[in-house]
Amino acid sequence: MIDSRLIRFSSDISPRHLITLSPLQFSHRLLRRSHTALRLLRAKLRTRFVLRQRWQGHGTPRVLFVSDTEGATHHYRVHNQIEQLLIAGCSAAICHPQYVAAARLVRTCDILLLYRPDDTPQLRAIVEQAHTRGILVIYDTDDLTWDERIIEYAALERYHGIQSLPGFRNRIQRERAVLSLADVCITSTEYLADLVRADTTIPVYVNQNAIDEQSLRLTQPLFHDHSQIKDMAQLTIGYFSGWAQAHEIDFAIITSAIQHVLADLPHARLRVVGHFDIGWLPPELQSQVDVAPFVPYEKLFEAIAATDINIAPLVDNPHRRSKSAVKFLEAALVGVPTVAADLEPYRMIRHGETGYLAANANDWYAGIMALASDAQLRQRIGQAARIQVLAEHTTAVRAAGYAAILQATAKRKA
């Protein structure tokens, strides 16, 4: 089936537009839209006919990851977990659920791992083949994606309008349908695992998000540079909102504290990197706020290293509590100290030692001001945070435990 986006460009060059476009404008519009259509067509063909990653490693179990995700979520739950398997001596491959030879690949694996793929006939055929052959099917998730209450928790109506809610509900129902196909579920946090256990009868295990070896190498020089105490005329507080248009409600819980901080520190600035509507902020605060575009994962560490303090606010609801602590992990790698919401994702932080936890506006103000007023404290907390991450949250540290989970579940299936 042809992706509807491949023909959507025609709506912008329909006859009703011709009277308002010059010939040159029309040509440019047509060329740009044609390039977009070609790019999407190439992506569709690549998805269908090109294997994302062939088998790597020579041990068992052989784990076939099936995923249609991209970006940071794919990096943590597919790329980094494959790295853990290879370190542990197992084998892994990746394919898109639309890949034409996916069914043949299933015959070569011991475990079929589904990382949040869409519920399609192609996926159902893959899973049915796995069940027929007695192959363990695992559903992996790092988010509360199958519960319709996410519409309320993530304020989807507020962000996207009531007309978008049927589409969201449909997607949530398809996520739940895929979860129901699995023999086992693996999540990124214990809190999220408990939500799955409350909603299903299948066994649930936890493998937290971990930092891969490439990120460790990439951040080493950034950490070295950042760990040097410098005299600075300006202090930068960083908030990395990410890709989704959903984080203004998180920031709202600390707006009053940030106003207080910036009023007391006129030389300081708040830098928001990612999708964020600055119009949500009070006008008197906006003059000390910079909003930078979303950056891809490979550029993220440079952006974090350009700040002095990292903040990670969260609204207190089950969806946000299900998140993982990647904002802390990523900042720690470059030695930037974090002040985070005192909720499940960030309770790995050792308060006052590897970061600060904040439960109310007073906590947020105190934590940020403590770091803002003491460069040596920022250095000490940032270094301790990196040490904690290296000791507890890397793919090398997690490899044996993750492999043990998969080996144990595969034996139970057998």
Side-chain angles (χ1 to χ4, degrees):
M1 182 175 179
I2 296 177
D3 193 320
S4 62
R5 291 174 298 174
L6 299 179
I7 58 174
R8 192 179 299 160
F9 73 94
S10 62
S11 64
D12 283 348
I13 55 172
S14 58
R16 71 179 186 274
H17 291 97
L18 297 184
I19 59 174
T20 61
L21 294 177
S22 70
L24 183 59
Q25 288 174 320
F26 176 79
S27 297
H28 286 170
R29 179 76 60 87
L30 179 61
L31 182 61
R32 185 168 64 250
R33 294 296 178 173
S34 298
H35 285 169
T36 299
L38 182 59
R39 177 177 57 80
L40 291 170
L41 179 60
R42 285 174 175 167
K44 190 76 173 178
L45 293 174
R46 192 163 54 246
T47 291
R48 183 75 173 148
F49 297 108
V50 179
L51 181 60
R52 295 180 74 165
Q53 180 178 301
R54 298 184 181 279
W55 284 108
Q56 294 184 334
H58 303 287
T60 56
R62 288 165 64 88
V63 184
L64 176 61
F65 285 71
V66 175
S67 174
D68 52 15
T69 60
E70 301 291 345
T73 57
H74 180 88
H75 186 91
Y76 278 104
R77 300 310 291 177
V78 178
H79 174 275
N80 288 10
Q81 291 196 123
I82 285 178
E83 183 168 284
Q84 292 172 57
L85 291 175
L86 298 180
I87 291 171
C90 307
S91 303
I94 315 169
C95 76
H96 193 283
Q98 304 294 322
Y99 177 54
V100 67
R104 289 205 301 271
L105 272 176
V106 171
R107 300 172 201 159
T108 66
C109 74
D110 304 304
I111 295 174
L112 179 66
L113 192 147
L114 311 176
Y115 176 60
R116 292 172 50 180
D118 196 8
D119 182 20
T120 64
Q122 293 89 344
L123 180 73
R124 293 255 174 179
I126 294 169
V127 173
E128 182 179 359
Q129 171 140 349
H131 283 150
T132 299
R133 300 178 69 86
I135 293 168
L136 179 74
V137 177
I138 296 177
Y139 178 85
D140 185 286
T141 184
D142 56 351
D143 207 342
L144 182 64
T145 57
W146 69 92
D147 189 331
E148 283 201 19
R149 289 173 295 179
I150 194 176
I151 292 173
E152 172 192 348
Y153 298 149
L156 296 181
E157 181 178 346
R158 183 176 185 179
Y159 282 107
H160 302 280
I162 193 171
Q163 71 280 0
S164 300
L165 298 189
F168 282 117
R169 287 195 176 93
N170 182 261
R171 176 69 199 197
I172 292 165
Q173 290 164 3
R174 296 201 305 272
E175 291 272 4
R176 178 179 285 275
V178 175
L179 173 60
S180 72
L181 300 175
D183 304 305
V184 171
C185 180
I186 297 179
T187 72
S188 55
T189 70
E190 193 62 46
Y191 185 91
L192 185 56
D194 285 340
L195 293 179
V196 179
R197 293 182 185 114
D199 221 8
T200 71
T201 59
I202 63 176
V204 186
Y205 300 88
V206 176
N207 187 43
Q208 296 181 45
N209 281 332
I211 297 296
D212 62 303
E213 294 179 342
Q214 181 180 8
S215 295
L216 295 178
R217 290 191 297 269
L218 182 67
T219 57
Q220 179 61 48
L222 295 172
F223 170 73
H224 180 268
D225 291 343
H226 198 279
S227 63
Q228 311 305 307
I229 296 179
K230 309 177 185 71
D231 292 328
M232 294 179 296
Q234 181 173 298
L235 181 98
T236 302
I237 301 166
Y239 177 50
F240 295 85
S241 59
W243 175 257
Q245 295 176 298
H247 295 290
E248 288 84 355
I249 59 173
D250 291 317
F251 192 85
I253 69 170
I254 65 166
T255 299
S256 63
I258 291 293
Q259 280 185 283
H260 195 178
V261 167
L262 295 182
D264 290 349
L265 300 173
H267 66 289
R269 296 195 69 80
L270 171 68
R271 179 179 299 157
V272 182
V273 179
H275 291 302
F276 191 85
D277 183 358
I278 196 172
W280 284 50
L281 300 179
E284 61 272 21
L285 184 59
Q286 294 178 20
S287 62
Q288 283 180 270
V289 179
D290 303 316
V291 178
F294 171 82
V295 293
Y297 185 79
E298 58 270 17
K299 299 290 185 181
L300 177 61
F301 295 112
E302 293 180 18
I304 298 173
T307 67
D308 304 295
I309 300 169
N310 174 52
I311 56 174
L314 285 176
V315 173
D316 185 358
N317 68 43
H319 175 243
R320 296 311 207 249
R321 286 188 169 202
S322 299
K323 299 291 185 179
S324 61
V326 294
K327 284 182 169 61
F328 165 67
L329 301 182
E330 291 160 354
L333 286 183
V334 294
V336 174
T338 295
V339 183
D342 188 9
L343 296 173
E344 278 76 6
Y346 297 110
R347 286 178 177 160
M348 66 175 62
I349 294 174
R350 296 192 279 271
H351 181 70
E353 180 184 342
T354 62
Y356 286 92
L357 295 171
N360 53 52
N362 289 337
D363 291 347
W364 281 100
Y365 177 79
I368 294 172
M369 288 299 291
L371 293 168
S373 59
D374 190 337
Q376 290 186 338
L377 178 64
R378 292 198 299 273
Q379 181 194 50
R380 186 164 67 250
I381 295 286
Q383 290 177 347
R386 181 176 168 92
I387 290 171
Q388 180 185 0
V389 170
L390 295 183
E392 302 173 10
H393 302 289
T394 67
T395 53
V397 172
R398 295 271 171 72
Y402 183 48
I405 290 172
L406 298 190
Q407 289 165 345
T409 53
K411 287 179 182 177
R412 177 183 295 185
K413 176 74 173 182

